[in-house]
Amino acid sequence: LWAAGRSGRSVKTVSVDGLENPDVHVFRVTLSEKERADVAKVLGAHDTILIATAKEAVWYAAGRDAESALKAIVQASVADGENDGETEEESPDIVRGLVSVKPWLQLRDKLFPRSNEDSAVAGTPEERQRQVLLKSLRKHVDESLTNENGRVRFRLRRDGNGVSGESTVGIGLLRALGKFITQYAAENLQ
C-alpha cells in the first residue's frame, strides 16, 4: 500500500459499520505532519484518509463524514453491479464510472485556483470569447449543482464489432446547461 513504510504515517485495517462485504478491505491512513499540510491543500485539514479496496476498485474518503461517505459509495457501486464477479473477458464493459461533478470541480479549484479568471484574457478574439463562454458556463454550474444532483454515470460496452455507450446526467447539470444555452441564445442569436 502507498502509505506503508513512510515515517510518521500509520496504516491500519479497520471495519466500517454497515460495510460487511468480504471482498472489500478498508484501511485507515493517518498522515504525518508534513503530509497533513500537503493534503490539506486538496482535501481539507484532515489527518486521516479511509481507503477501501476490492479486486477491481478503489474508493477513498476523507473528512468529518468519511466513514458514511465511504460506505455509501461502496454500497452504491456494489448495487450498481460494479463488483458483480465478472472477469474482464466476460464483461462487455470497456469503461464505466460515476463522477460527482461538484466535488471534482472543488478539487480542481484547489489544485488550479481561478484567481486569474477575472483578469483580461490575452490571445485571439476567439480565445477571449471561449474564456467568456467557459466562465459563464461555470457560473451556471456553480449555481445549479449540489453533490446529489450533479452526478454523471457513464458506460461504454462492446457491441458486436463496435462500441455502444450510455450516460445518465444529473438534473443539476442539465439545469446548468439549459441556463447557459438560454443565456447564449439571448445574447448571440437574434
Side-chain angles (χ1 to χ4, degrees):
L1 191 60
W2 155 84
R6 294 281 181 120
S7 173
R9 181 186 314 141
S10 69
V11 179
K12 295 179 183 172
T13 302
V14 296
S15 62
V16 174
D17 289 338
L19 187 58
E20 290 81 22
N21 184 327
D23 297 326
V24 177
H25 305 283
V26 181
F27 303 91
R28 181 180 306 275
V29 179
T30 303
L31 303 172
S32 70
E33 287 296 325
K34 181 197 178 307
E35 290 169 327
R36 289 177 194 168
D38 294 338
V39 169
K41 296 173 190 169
V42 177
L43 300 176
H46 309 291
D47 64 350
T48 302
I49 299 173
L50 293 177
I51 301 172
T53 63
K55 183 178 177 184
E56 295 184 4
V58 176
W59 305 271
Y60 79 92
R64 184 178 58 239
D65 298 321
E67 284 193 17
S68 60
L70 186 67
K71 181 173 96 173
I73 193 66
V74 170
Q75 288 174 338
S77 296
V78 171
D80 189 42
E82 290 185 29
N83 190 15
D84 55 14
E86 293 178 325
T87 66
E88 188 175 329
E89 293 78 28
E90 295 169 336
S91 174
D93 291 342
I94 297 169
V95 176
R96 66 179 156 192
L98 171 68
V99 176
S100 292
V101 175
K102 186 171 185 172
W104 180 81
L105 287 173
Q106 290 167 338
L107 175 61
R108 180 217 172 265
D109 290 346
K110 287 180 181 178
L111 293 172
F112 308 103
R114 297 189 293 166
S115 60
N116 294 331
E117 286 187 9
D118 291 331
S119 62
V121 178
T124 66
E126 291 82 12
E127 289 169 335
R128 288 192 296 274
Q129 178 63 20
R130 181 179 151 272
Q131 288 299 318
V132 168
L133 290 173
L134 287 175
K135 187 175 180 181
S136 173
L137 178 59
R138 179 61 192 266
K139 174 183 158 272
H140 292 301
V141 166
D142 288 343
E143 291 171 354
S144 300
L145 285 188
T146 66
N147 288 338
E148 292 76 33
N149 73 5
R151 293 186 176 144
V152 177
R153 184 178 305 274
F154 57 91
R155 177 179 289 188
L156 292 176
R157 305 184 78 130
R158 291 180 201 92
D159 187 9
N161 290 329
V163 175
S164 65
E166 62 186 48
S167 180
T168 305
V169 179
I171 190 70
L173 289 169
L174 294 174
R175 187 176 297 124
L177 188 56
K179 288 178 180 180
F180 172 74
I181 291 170
T182 301
Q183 177 186 345
Y184 180 83
E187 293 173 359
N188 297 290
L189 306 175
Q190 283 116 21

